[in-house]
Amino acid sequence: MMNNAQVQKNTLYVGGLAEEVNEAILHSAFIPFGDIKDVKTPLDQATQKHRSFGFVTFLEREDAAAAMDNMDGAELYGRVLTVNYALPERIKGGEQGWAAQPIWADADTWFERQQQEEEMQRLQAEQRAAMQAAEELHRKKLAEEREGEKEEETDTKADPMALAEAKALEQSS
């Protein structure tokens, strides 16, 4: 059903709450199933209204199971409810959580990551420049070799003395 997170068997998540529903109404809707320890409807900080869900904590696990079986898919103030076991509250912000450390605690690791990234970009730029220089050098050598071959061909064709020498060498051999 759920992944590796520990499920709280006596606390229920109640989703799909209408705007009119408050903690007292939620308490009244779930009290027939057993003694309730706590009811919470987290508020949206901007609007100060609940965020369309709440949590109901029963004293007994069996009561929570009965409430979930009966109230999941039920209607309250014209809205269909989703009722599941609640997952434990998690602190946002990675492994340690934001609340476990001051806001500036991440600054050192951020600067280290920035420096590493800048160093990596610098090394990549140096490598690209070295590759371009090597390619340019290779192109120049190829061009010089081709130019040298052309000069040898043109030297013998254009110079009548070189032609005569070449003929004399061929005849003597």
Side-chain angles (χ1 to χ4, degrees):
M1 180 177 127
M2 297 284 168
N3 53 13
N4 295 341
Q6 186 68 26
V7 175
Q8 296 178 343
K9 297 283 186 180
N10 61 337
T11 301
L12 298 178
Y13 162 84
V14 183
L17 297 177
E19 203 171 291
E20 304 84 29
V21 175
N22 58 25
E23 290 179 358
I25 294 170
L26 195 57
H27 185 276
S28 299
F30 281 83
I31 195 69
F33 303 104
D35 293 332
I36 294 175
K37 180 179 176 182
D38 191 27
V39 176
K40 291 182 183 174
T41 53
L43 297 179
D44 182 347
Q45 296 298 319
T47 63
Q48 290 302 311
K49 295 180 182 179
H50 69 75
R51 301 185 308 184
S52 300
F53 67 90
F55 298 97
V56 179
T57 304
F58 286 89
L59 291 175
E60 301 294 326
R61 290 180 177 198
E62 296 79 21
D63 296 341
M68 185 174 72
D69 290 341
N70 287 290
M71 293 299 285
D72 187 38
E75 204 171 295
L76 183 64
Y77 280 74
R79 304 267 307 261
V80 177
L81 299 179
T82 302
V83 182
N84 295 311
Y85 288 118
L87 296 176
E89 188 174 347
R90 289 181 294 186
I91 298 173
K92 294 180 181 177
E95 292 178 15
Q96 293 181 344
W98 291 328
Q101 56 188 336
I103 195 162
W104 59 85
D106 191 38
D108 290 338
T109 57
W110 183 85
F111 284 120
E112 287 173 14
R113 285 191 310 262
Q114 287 297 109
Q115 287 175 338
Q116 289 172 351
E117 189 174 318
E118 289 171 4
E119 180 69 12
M120 185 65 79
Q121 289 174 351
R122 185 186 64 76
L123 290 172
Q124 287 173 345
E126 285 178 7
Q127 188 176 16
R128 276 194 304 271
M131 289 295 289
Q132 288 174 347
E135 287 175 3
E136 184 65 29
L137 184 62
H138 182 67
R139 275 190 233 114
K140 283 182 182 178
K141 282 186 180 180
L142 286 177
E144 287 174 3
E145 287 176 9
R146 285 189 207 120
E147 195 65 34
E149 290 172 3
K150 287 180 184 176
E151 284 180 10
E152 288 176 9
E153 290 175 11
T154 55
D155 283 349
T156 56
K157 289 179 184 174
D159 188 10
M161 287 299 285
L163 283 173
E165 286 178 16
K167 279 186 183 180
L169 285 173
E170 283 177 22
Q171 289 175 358
S172 65
S173 24

